[in-house]
Amino acid sequence: MISEKTITDFIYREADLLDTMQWQAWLDLFHPEGRYWMPLEWQQQDPVLQPSLMYEDLLLMKVRIERLAGERTFSQKPKSRCHHLLQAPQILVCDPAAGVFKARTSFLYTETRGDALERFSGWASHDLVQVGDELKIRLKRIDLVNFDAPFGNIQLFM
Amino acid sequence: MAKYGKDPRAIGGLVRDAEVHRDVYVDPEVFDLEMEHLFPNSWIYVGHASQLSKAGDFITANIGRQPVVASRHTDGSIHLFYNRCPHKGVKIASEPCGNTGKFFRCPYHAWSFKTDGSLLAIPLKKGYEGTGFTDTQANDGLSRIKNVVVYRDFIFARLSENGVGFEDYFGESLSTIDNMVDRSPEGKLAIEATPIRYMHTCNWKMLVENQTDTCHPMVAHESSAGTAIKVWQREQGDSKETPMAVQLYGPFMSPYEFYEQSGIRIWPNGHGHTGVANSIHSNYSDVEGYLGQMVAAYGEKRAHEILGEVRHNTVYFPNIMVKGAVQILRNFIPIAVDRTLVESWVYRLVGAPEKLYERALMYNRFINAPTSIVGHDDLEMYERAQEGLKTNGNQWVNLRRLYERGEEPDVTAVINGTSERQMRNQFHAWAKYMTMDMDQPVEAAE
Ligand code: FES
Ligand SMILES: [Fe+2]
C-alpha cells in the first residue's frame, strides 16, 4: 500500500540516484511515457506550444545520459557533478484507490565542473503512478525561481 | 596602455586577408572600440513590431552597450529612444516589455513623456521658468534615435547620425527575412513568447563565425547529434516514422560532402548564409495542411518557390543570425570581451499549422538553450578558444580554408559550402565599420 512515506522516500531516493550518478537506475524510475520538464514561464501550462528549457521523453533522456559518458563529449572533460538539497516533500495527492500521487519539493541544486560551481533553487513537482507495487514517474517538473535568467551550461538533471 | 586607440591603421592591422589577430577576441580595448564604433556604425536588430502591437507597448534592448527603448505611439508609428530620463538619468523602462499607457512616467520625480518621446509634463513646472530650461536637451524629452527602419516588421536601428543607409547596408541579404515572412500564409510573423537566454563566457564574434562554420558539426556535435542517431537506431524497434526530435538532431552529422555541395552565399557588408542548394533543414516531414494553405495564399508556383528556399543560417552583420526555415533569430549581445548573452527568439508563422510552431520551439530548446546538449558542445569550444587565445606562441587565428588570392571584398557570390570565406567577409566588414568614423578609415587606406 502506497503511503505518504512511500512517496517521500521515493523522492529522496530519486535525488540520491542523481547525486551518485546511477543514471540507469534513475531512468528506471520513469514510466515508459514519463517526461522531464523544465518550463521557461511562470506557472506555465503548456510544454509544447510555450517555450521550455527542457521537455524530454525517455528517448531524449537516454541520449543525454549516453552522451555524458561519450568518448568525444568534450563538455564533460572534466565531468560535472551535482548535489540536491531537498526540503521535506509536500504531498499534494496520495490517492491509492485512484492511483494518483503528487508531491512538490522545494530544492537547492548545485552543479559543479572543474573549478566552477553553479547553484539553482526552485521546486520539483512529481506526478507519480503505481505500476505493480512500485511508483513510477509520469512527470517530473522543475520550476526554477529564476527560470527567465540567462544561465550558462546546465548539463545534468535537477 | 592603449594599443589601438583611435588608430585605424592599428585596427586594420588586426585583420589580414585570411587571418585575424587574437586581440579581436581577447583585448578589452578592442571590445570598447567595437562598442564605440562598430555597433553605432552598423544596423542593429532591436526587436519585432509584433512585440509592439498596441499603442503604448514598449520593449527594451541594448545596441552594443547602449540601453534603448522602442515604443508604439498613439498614431501607430514606432519610436526609439535612449533609455534614460533627461532629468537625472533614471531608466525610463526597466522591464523587457510592457505597456506604458498614454505616456512614460519617470518613477523618480514624475517627469512624463509622450510615447513619441517628447516631454509631456513636469510637476511644479513653474520652478523652471526663466531658468533657461527650454534651451537644454532635457526640454526635448527622451533622446531619440533617428535612424530606425522597420523592414517587414523587423526593427533595425543605427545609432550614428551619419553612415551607410539601410538599403545599401543589407541589400539582397534581406531575402532571408523575406523568405521567413513569406512562409506565413498571411505574410506575417508574431513573437508570442520570451526568448531562450543563454550566457556565453566567450567573445561575441566566436558565436557569429560559428553560424557559417560547416566543418564543425560532424566533429563537435558527434557527442550530441551522433549519440541521438545511435540511440534512435538501437531503440526504434519497428516504428516507421522518425520522431521530430531525431529529424532535428540527425542532420548535424551530415558528412563534409553534404556541406560542400550545399554552398555558401556571401553578400557585401559582412552578410552571408549557409545552405544555398539545400540544408540541414531540407528533409523535415511535411506538416499536414500547410502546403495547401500556402498554395491557396500564393498560388502553386510561388508557394513552391518559397518553401523550396531552405537556407540554413543567415548572418546579418554584425550580430544576429536568422534561420528562416525554422523561424528563429539568434541575437548575440555583447556584454564584455569574454561575455555574450545569446537570446534566441522564435516567430510564429501567422495562419500556419500549430505543428510548425511546435517544431520551431523544439528546435530552439534542443539547440539554443543552456540545457541543450548541442549548445554544450559549442560553448565548450568557445570557452576553450577564449582561454587558448591567450597563449603567445601564435597570435593569429587561421581563416584560410578555400581562400583564393586576390579575393574581392564586398561582392555577392556563391561558393563551396565548406569555405571560410563568410568569416573573412565578416572581418572585412568589421575593419570597415570599426574605422569608418575615424580620420583615415581602413577602406580609404586600401
Ligand atoms: S530622474 Fe526622471 S524625473 Fe527625475
Ligand atoms: Fe555547433
Side-chain angles (χ1 to χ4, degrees):
Chain A
M1 183 73 161
I2 297 202
S3 66
E4 295 204 354
K5 180 159 188 315
T6 324
I7 300 174
T8 308
D9 288 349
F10 180 92
I11 289 169
Y12 290 149
R13 173 151 182 270
E14 193 238 344
D16 196 53
L17 289 174
L18 288 172
D19 288 354
T20 51
M21 304 201 187
Q22 299 185 61
W23 304 119
Q24 191 51 49
W26 179 72
L27 276 180
D28 291 343
L29 298 181
F30 280 80
H31 182 272
E33 291 301 312
R35 295 283 186 283
Y36 180 97
W37 182 22
M38 279 177 87
L40 192 62
E41 294 188 2
W42 177 244
Q43 300 186 335
Q44 187 169 332
Q45 297 302 316
D46 188 337
V48 171
L49 291 175
Q50 285 179 281
S52 300
L53 286 167
M54 278 172 76
Y55 184 61
E56 311 222 325
D57 59 10
L58 270 179
L59 180 77
L60 291 171
M61 287 190 267
K62 277 182 196 163
V63 171
R64 262 176 207 276
I65 282 168
E66 282 202 29
R67 174 183 175 278
L68 289 174
E71 185 51 42
R72 291 185 176 156
T73 303
F74 300 105
S75 78
Q76 283 299 303
K77 295 169 188 249
K79 288 208 172 302
S80 302
R81 291 191 295 270
C82 69
H83 175 257
H84 288 73
L85 181 63
L86 305 184
Q87 198 178 48
Q90 190 191 345
I91 309 296
L92 303 174
V93 184
C94 179
D95 187 344
V100 184
F101 310 93
K102 291 179 196 281
R104 182 170 154 97
T105 311
S106 189
F107 69 82
L108 269 179
Y109 171 81
T110 308
E111 194 171 300
T112 71
R113 186 177 165 238
D115 295 342
L117 179 148
E118 298 290 342
R119 195 155 276 154
F120 303 85
S121 32
W123 302 267
S125 303
H126 288 79
D127 282 10
L128 307 172
V129 288
Q130 191 175 348
V131 178
D133 26 299
E134 281 180 328
L135 287 173
K136 295 281 178 195
I137 302 173
R138 196 60 230 262
L139 177 69
K140 181 177 182 185
R141 167 178 174 146
I142 300 290
D143 286 280
L144 290 175
V145 64
N146 59 340
F147 54 86
D148 47 0
F151 305 115
N153 282 350
I154 300 171
Q155 298 202 58
L156 304 179
F157 298 89
M158 289 195 191
Chain B
M1 194 187 64
K3 270 199 274 184
Y4 300 104
K6 306 235 181 239
D7 179 358
R9 275 217 307 227
I11 294 166
L14 293 168
V15 178
R16 295 176 179 167
D17 285 348
E19 285 175 311
V20 288
H21 193 269
R22 58 97 185 263
D23 281 2
V24 306
Y25 307 99
V26 302
D27 187 329
E29 193 201 345
V30 173
F31 181 82
D32 287 343
L33 290 166
E34 288 178 337
M35 297 302 107
E36 283 165 39
H37 299 277
L38 177 71
F39 276 76
N41 289 336
S42 305
W43 285 91
I44 305 295
Y45 177 71
V46 175
H48 191 258
S50 65
Q51 298 170 279
L52 304 170
S53 54
K54 297 181 302 297
D57 282 353
F58 69 86
I59 51 172
T60 57
N62 278 297
I63 297 183
R65 265 193 301 229
Q66 297 288 307
V68 298
V69 46
S71 75
R72 177 80 75 173
H73 191 43
T74 34
D75 67 0
S77 54
I78 287 173
H79 296 264
L80 188 68
F81 333 103
Y82 290 96
N83 190 358
R84 65 149 280 180
C85 177
H87 184 207
K88 298 191 80 177
V90 167
K91 267 186 165 181
I92 215 75
S94 62
E95 290 169 285
C97 61
N99 186 287
T100 191
K102 291 214 169 0
F103 54 88
F104 289 101
R105 179 178 182 272
C106 179
Y108 202 1
H109 313 95
W111 290 23
S112 58
F113 312 91
K114 292 187 197 159
T115 44
D116 66 356
S118 54
L119 185 60
L120 177 64
I122 297 179
L124 220 58
K125 187 94 190 255
K126 284 203 302 288
Y128 290 99
E129 271 166 27
T131 62
F133 178 79
T134 48
D135 300 332
T136 64
Q137 206 180 331
N139 188 51
D140 299 335
L142 302 170
S143 296
R144 285 189 190 75
I145 292 147
K146 295 194 190 77
N147 296 299
V148 178
V149 170
V150 182
Y151 180 81
R152 301 199 75 178
D153 282 351
F154 287 74
I155 309 168
F156 288 91
R158 193 193 68 218
L159 294 183
S160 301
E161 299 249 336
N162 303 309
V164 181
F166 181 86
E167 290 288 331
D168 288 340
Y169 183 84
F170 285 119
E172 285 173 28
S173 73
L174 292 170
S175 52
T176 292
I177 289 180
D178 288 337
N179 180 258
M180 180 155 74
V181 180
D182 291 344
R183 281 169 176 265
S184 150
E186 298 177 22
K188 208 169 153 52
L189 302 177
I191 283 183
E192 293 191 353
T194 49
I196 289 183
R197 306 170 79 212
Y198 188 178
M199 191 59 83
H200 281 59
T201 39
C202 66
N203 188 268
W204 63 276
K205 294 187 292 303
M206 289 182 187
L207 280 139
V208 181
E209 281 165 54
N210 190 60
Q211 305 310 307
T212 62
D213 183 328
T214 54
C215 287
H216 89 280
M218 65 297 278
V219 181
H221 299 307
E222 184 185 333
S223 102
S224 48
T227 306
I229 293 172
K230 209 172 72 195
V231 172
W232 169 242
Q233 281 169 351
R234 192 184 65 219
E235 308 265 328
Q236 70 185 114
D238 29 67
S239 43
K240 303 242 152 36
E241 225 179 297
T242 312
M244 193 188 276
V246 179
Q247 290 187 33
L248 298 185
Y249 278 130
F252 278 75
M253 289 308 285
S254 307
Y256 292 113
E257 297 71 31
F258 171 82
Y259 288 101
E260 281 191 304
Q261 60 76 34
S262 75
I264 286 179
R265 179 182 282 121
I266 56 163
W267 291 294
N269 292 319
H271 317 300
H273 79 94
T274 48
V276 179
N278 54 9
S279 78
I280 65 165
H281 306 305
S282 294
N283 291 321
Y284 300 157
S285 24
D286 290 336
V287 168
E288 209 186 307
Y290 179 47
L291 181 62
Q293 289 179 332
M294 289 294 285
V295 169
Y298 294 100
E300 192 80 36
K301 181 163 169 279
R302 180 74 189 122
H304 281 101
E305 239 168 57
I306 294 166
L307 298 176
E309 186 77 50
V310 193
R311 296 178 183 180
H312 180 199
N313 293 340
T314 299
V315 168
Y316 287 104
F317 181 83
N319 71 325
I320 61 166
M321 182 278 278
V322 172
K323 235 181 215 313
V326 273
Q327 301 91 51
I328 287 173
L329 180 149
R330 301 184 77 199
N331 194 357
F332 307 110
I333 302 167
I335 308 284
V337 69
D338 55 359
R339 209 167 161 79
T340 305
L341 169 60
V342 184
E343 289 191 346
S344 300
W345 296 85
V346 174
Y347 303 89
R348 190 169 187 148
L349 296 171
V350 176
E354 244 169 28
K355 202 80 189 159
L356 285 165
Y357 190 51
E358 177 184 337
R359 184 160 73 194
L361 290 169
M362 184 188 262
Y363 189 93
N364 209 29
R365 70 173 181 268
F366 279 4
I367 313 299
N368 301 330
T371 39
S372 149
I373 52 180
V374 170
H376 299 158
D377 294 336
D378 282 325
L379 180 50
E380 178 68 16
M381 298 305 120
Y382 308 144
E383 284 180 342
R384 289 189 189 198
Q386 197 69 33
E387 282 300 301
L389 287 173
K390 292 178 185 156
T391 60
N392 291 331
N394 173 2
Q395 304 199 359
W396 294 87
V397 166
N398 191 296
L399 302 176
R400 201 164 286 271
R401 179 177 287 282
L402 294 171
Y403 173 69
E404 287 168 35
R405 249 165 248 289
E407 230 167 51
E408 285 282 323
D410 281 333
V411 294
T412 299
V414 174
I415 49 178
N416 181 306
T418 56
S419 173
E420 285 170 342
R421 184 154 176 196
Q422 170 54 19
M423 302 176 205
R424 300 191 284 274
N425 190 34
Q426 280 160 211
F427 275 107
H428 181 268
W430 183 87
K432 179 164 125 188
Y433 283 85
M434 276 289 267
T435 60
M436 63 171 34
D437 55 346
M438 296 179 189
D439 279 348
Q440 285 188 304
V442 165
E443 276 287 76
E446 274 172 2

